[in-house]
Amino acid sequence: MGEPKTKQSYRAVPQGRSVVAEIQRHRKEFPPKVVYIEDRTNPRKPVWRHARLLYTSEAGGAIRRGSWAKLWARNVKRANAYLAKCGSKVRVPEGATLHDLRHFYASVLIKNGATPKQVQMRLGHAKPSITLNVYTHLWEAEADRTADMMEAILSDVP
């Protein structure tokens, strides 16, 4: 556990009502725990400190990188079983990673009209150019409406 990569990594990300409700439910069932954890902000001088975590391992400690793959695989399996039970055609693709959820989030924002600056802010990129380098193809995939935009403005000109 350490400091985020950039100042922009510290951000508020708006959540829908269903997400807020689920987090509230989770907090009631599993209150945040204070754990003793190694802080590697400075890898040359790691220190141990207390941290308040919303999500912990089954043993009540920090979720370690090594155990994350098993936890992720188990949750993907549960999610797909639940989606199937509900009759949804949606599934978490095999081999999907947590980082893939980040790309999915960005893709949904772009598909629904978010600007490069909005996506940059939500992802915590230091500059919009980083966002554009990764996701330009999604904005380019939209139909080119520039001619229609100019036509609408100039249509009243005699």
Side-chain angles (χ1 to χ4, degrees), residues 8-132:
Q8 289 75 16
S9 295
Y10 291 100
R11 62 197 181 277
V13 178
Q15 300 298 316
R17 286 186 298 270
S18 63
V19 173
V20 171
E22 185 58 28
I23 290 172
Q24 289 171 338
R25 185 203 62 75
H26 177 84
R27 287 184 69 154
K28 283 181 184 174
E29 188 174 343
F30 305 100
K33 288 188 171 186
V34 175
V35 300
Y36 200 53
I37 191 165
E38 186 177 20
D39 182 339
R40 296 180 186 171
T41 303
N42 180 347
R44 293 182 180 156
K45 293 183 181 178
V47 295
W48 286 86
R49 67 176 176 85
H50 288 92
R52 189 168 175 245
L53 301 179
L54 182 57
Y55 299 98
T56 59
S57 68
E58 290 175 356
I63 299 172
R64 301 283 179 197
R65 185 178 299 194
S67 61
W68 174 250
K70 292 177 191 170
L71 178 66
W72 174 257
R74 188 167 57 238
N75 282 320
V76 165
K77 194 173 184 177
R78 286 181 188 161
N80 283 336
Y82 179 78
L83 290 165
K85 179 180 162 188
C86 293
S88 175
K89 295 177 184 175
V90 174
R91 297 292 182 276
V92 179
E94 189 169 329
T97 66
L98 184 62
H99 198 75
D100 291 330
L101 289 181
R102 179 178 166 86
H103 291 306
F104 173 74
Y105 176 67
S107 300
V108 169
L109 295 180
I110 293 164
K111 177 77 173 152
N112 287 282
T115 66
K117 185 66 177 177
Q118 288 170 318
V119 177
Q120 173 219 343
M121 299 292 287
R122 293 299 170 257
L123 296 180
H125 288 153
K127 301 178 282 187
S129 60
I130 296 169
T131 307
L132 287 166

